[in-house]
Amino acid sequence: MGTQTGAILLYSVVKADLQSKMDEGHDDAVNCLTWDESSDSLFSCSTDRHIVQWNLSSGKVKHKWKGDSGGAIYSVCLSPNRRNLLSASRSIKLWDIETRQAIKVFTGHGTEVTRLLCLSPRTDAHEGLPNGVEGAADDDAFYFLSAAAGDRLINMWCSNADRKRDKSALASFSLPEEPRCVDAWLATTATVDRRNLLAVVTREGKLHVYEYHLNGCVRLRLSTSAVSSPPLGILVAVVSGGHCVG
């Protein structure tokens, strides 16, 4: 759990109590956390403009770097290959975790990007796996979603680093109002339901579900269609700042 003071609290779900407190990485509010179980790491971002990679065993900072020079960082998202990290501020940056260098910038939103969601690629190249683009390995390219403050669009991108800057999303999902929570179901060859579904809860507490079709990591619009009509009303808990907590 990230706090307004910059500390991170780790709770044991088994014992239901505080396990450790990590407070030497940020000096302002922690906005997002993402786990990397494969390397015993936790990534955090903050209003202090920094990204921190924590060693969970020791509770100490493993790496720390400035993620943006102009404002707060609101979200971080680990890539499916565990080698790259996305961060969101006024723009979206794709980082090489080992070198902590930005390898690509995405600038498709007009306001601060507040949410990121990575989508794991499928195992069947004939069903939308991000391949076929020069310079991209199948296990490196992936799709991800982004949402911004005051923006009624959710954008879908491809991480492929064939160019250093990307201004055009592969697809945009239009909503009647600003999204609060976003999640996606990416079908695989093993799932019974072969549809790719995007679920979005808006500011008024309505759930919108979209079906989308991945065309591969190319400059083609993704076909989208709403599959919930009318929207389903649900209850959403929101803390100050508009972040969904449950």
Side-chain angles (χ1 to χ4, degrees), residues 211-232:
E211 181 179 1
Y212 61 93
H213 305 281
L214 301 175
N215 298 328
C217 219
V218 294
R219 295 292 173 187
L220 295 176
R221 288 289 179 181
L222 279 70
S223 58
T224 61
S225 59
V227 297
S228 63
S229 180
L232 174 65

Side-chain angles (χ1 to χ4, degrees), residues 73-90:
I73 303 175
Y74 298 99
S75 182
V76 285
C77 183
L78 189 66
S79 68
N81 64 16
R82 300 295 192 264
R83 292 194 293 270
N84 299 113
L85 186 77
L86 288 166
S87 66
S89 52
R90 288 287 298 187

Side-chain angles (χ1 to χ4, degrees), residues 38-66:
S38 64
S39 65
D40 191 36
S41 293
L42 177 72
F43 292 91
S44 61
C45 66
S46 169
T47 304
D48 67 8
R49 307 177 185 180
H50 284 84
I51 299 170
V52 174
Q53 181 181 6
W54 300 85
N55 184 306
L56 290 174
S57 296
S58 65
K60 302 296 183 181
V61 173
K62 184 176 181 180
H63 297 294
K64 179 178 180 178
W65 68 96
K66 180 172 284 190

